[in-house]
Structures are given as C-alpha cells and as structure tokens.
Amino acid sequence: MKETLIKILDMNHTERQQYMNEQGDILIENMLNNIGYPEDELRDKLNYRLFIELLADNLLTTTQMKHLTETLKGADFLYASIGERDSDLVFTRSFSALWLCGLLNVDSQIRFLSDEEAKGILEEAVHYLSKENDVRGFVHEKGWAHAIAHGADLATSIVAHPLFEMRFAPILLQGIKNSLWKDSVYVDDEDERLVTIIEKLMAKGYPEEILIEWVEQVFDKLQFYLMEVGYTPQYFAARTNTLHFMKTLYFTLKFSQKLP
C-alpha cells in the first residue's frame, strides 16, 4: 500500500486524474482499510495526505465523497470500540474524525450531500467528542492519536456547517466539559482546539449569557467533586485541564474582542 500511495503522491495533476478515473473506487477502499493503520508514515504522512490532496484538487466524485462520509460516521470507523482506552483502534476513530472534518468542510462549500444526508451526518457525529475516552497524544512508534484534538476539530466543522442547528450546541459543550474529566492532563494543545468550538459557536450567534452559565457550571463541577470526593488525582487532572482551557478561552475572547 505504501508504494501505491507514494506513486500517486508523486504524480502530476493530469496523471492523478487519470488514475482516479480508472482506479479511484479501488484506491478509496484501500485507503479506508488503512485509515487507522498503527504506523505514522502510512496512516498520516501518506494516506491522510493523499486524501486531503484529492479533496483539494476536486479529484473525488460526489458519489465517492458521499460513500466516504456515510462509511466514516459509522460503528466501524468513527465509533469503532468507542469508550475503550489504549488500543490501536483509537487511530481508526481519530483519523475518521479528521477525514470527516475535510468532507464536512467541502460539503459546506459545494453541498455534495443532500440536506437530509448532511443532517444525518451531523446528528451522528456530534456525540463523538463526549464518547471518546482515549486521551493519548503522541504514541511512541505509532505517531499521533490525538483523538480529543481531532474530535474538537470535527465538532468545529459541525458548527461551521450551514445546516448546523443550535440544538447541537449543548451536546458539543457537554463534550468539552466531559473532555476535561478524562483522568489525564492534556499537554498537546488540546485546550486550543476545544476553544475553537466556542469561537465557531460565537460566530453562529450563540447567546453570551448561556455561555456564561456554562462556564459557571464547569467550575461548579470542580467544587462539587471536591466537596463530595476530595483531593483525588482525578480532581487535580480535571482542575488543571479546566484552568488551562479557561485561560485559553479568556485570552482568545480578549484578543478577538468578542463576548465582553
């Protein structure tokens, strides 16, 4: 598979277009089969790179993009063994989220999905961030898992989509809150990716007073946990995550002069 991907990446636009016309469907299935391959070069530097270049160069047909979107949102990809930790399936989930970001961004511009199809994708994908429990960033000898960051990217693409509905906002905000309480301190700028969700909600006119209430609830959860359970390692991890997130949110809003 590596050799095939390298060969296609080395092609010029005309050669790549001809290849996609002749063997595109087969290539896409092989790329899907390797989307979560637990090795950085194949999964990330070749497979994901080629996917993004095919999207950017408009070399995927509407049928192929629909197929990819429908496939990636399901139980074998975005939700493959969702909730478990420390298995290689995190790469399948995480990169399914990343591929879906690209597809949703393209659909936002050229609308290859019908309204019904797009709403179905948003409805399915909006729960991913809450359900993902594997918080690893860089995995030794296997590369980036970064599922929380990619889940935040997916959530951001959902909010930015033209068919986003405000009823999804509480689910995404709960996803952010849940992400702060997953027994690990984030060290790979996950807080910045999570804050981007709120930036997109702001752009869609999400009410400031509701966001203020949500911020208060995030801090209240820390206080309630401390009173009921005490100073546990889980508390300190969640406290650190919460403070990092809130500082990033504060300065993001301050520098952009939004939500005074």
Side-chain angles (χ1 to χ4, degrees):
M1 185 63 183
K2 278 187 183 180
E3 291 74 17
T4 300
L5 294 173
I6 291 169
K7 181 181 76 172
I8 300 169
L9 284 165
D10 285 341
M11 291 177 179
N12 61 38
H13 181 83
T14 302
E15 292 170 336
R16 200 179 287 184
Q17 188 171 41
Q18 182 178 348
Y19 185 94
M20 292 302 295
N21 289 339
E22 295 171 356
Q23 301 187 58
D25 290 346
I26 296 171
L27 174 66
I28 286 168
E29 291 309 310
N30 288 333
M31 291 175 72
L32 278 173
N33 290 336
N34 288 280
I35 193 172
Y37 192 82
E39 191 258 340
D40 186 45
E41 185 181 8
L42 175 56
R43 179 190 68 254
D44 200 340
K45 296 175 182 175
L46 297 176
N47 206 38
Y48 176 64
R49 178 187 160 194
L50 179 57
F51 166 71
I52 289 299
E53 289 190 12
L54 292 174
L55 269 186
D57 292 339
N58 299 315
L59 291 178
L60 296 175
T61 67
T62 296
T63 300
Q64 288 167 342
M65 290 190 292
K66 283 189 177 188
H67 169 65
L68 281 169
T69 309
E70 286 292 333
T71 302
L72 290 169
K73 75 180 176 79
D76 294 329
F77 287 88
L78 185 64
Y79 290 106
S81 296
I82 191 71
E84 73 175 15
R85 291 172 177 254
D86 301 328
S87 86
D88 286 344
L89 278 172
V90 68
F91 296 108
T92 296
R93 297 192 301 272
S94 181
F95 276 79
S96 294
L98 209 51
W99 283 41
L100 278 171
C101 286
L103 290 160
L104 285 176
N105 291 341
V106 170
D107 189 60
S108 294
Q109 299 170 41
I110 65 172
R111 299 309 312 278
F112 65 85
L113 296 169
S114 69
D115 285 4
E116 183 179 356
E117 289 167 338
K119 287 178 181 178
I121 300 297
L122 300 182
E123 191 89 48
E124 289 273 345
V126 75
H127 300 282
Y128 172 68
L129 186 59
S130 274
K131 294 183 176 182
E132 180 57 73
N133 283 332
D134 196 317
V135 297
R136 290 175 293 170
F138 190 83
V139 180
H140 182 60
E141 295 185 347
K142 296 178 181 179
W144 287 101
H146 228 194
I148 298 299
H150 293 175
D153 294 344
L154 177 57
T156 299
S157 295
I158 289 170
V159 179
H161 195 276
L163 294 181
F164 172 76
E165 299 175 23
M166 279 300 176
R167 65 187 178 90
F168 295 140
I171 300 171
L172 294 175
L173 290 173
Q174 185 63 43
I176 296 174
K177 188 192 293 187
N178 288 352
S179 296
L180 305 177
W181 283 85
K182 292 186 176 176
D183 298 337
S184 181
V185 173
Y186 299 117
V187 295
D188 295 308
D189 294 335
E190 287 87 349
D191 54 328
E192 294 183 15
R193 309 278 269 274
L194 291 167
V195 164
T196 305
I197 303 169
I198 293 181
E199 287 188 90
K200 289 296 182 184
L201 284 172
M202 287 161 36
K204 287 288 179 87
Y206 194 71
E208 181 178 6
E209 60 272 17
I210 299 180
L211 185 60
I212 291 171
E213 183 179 345
W214 176 79
V215 168
E216 291 170 348
Q217 290 171 357
V218 172
F219 282 114
D220 286 346
K221 183 173 181 178
L222 276 176
Q223 190 62 35
F224 292 149
Y225 183 95
L226 183 60
M227 290 189 297
E228 293 178 6
V229 183
Y231 291 103
T232 66
Q234 183 183 20
Y235 167 79
F236 281 110
R239 181 182 183 275
T240 299
N241 286 336
T242 299
L243 293 178
H244 287 175
F245 173 83
M246 291 300 177
K247 290 171 187 175
T248 302
L249 176 61
Y250 175 83
F251 283 104
T252 297
L253 297 179
K254 186 175 182 65
F255 291 146
S256 63
Q257 299 182 324
K258 299 288 176 62
L259 302 190

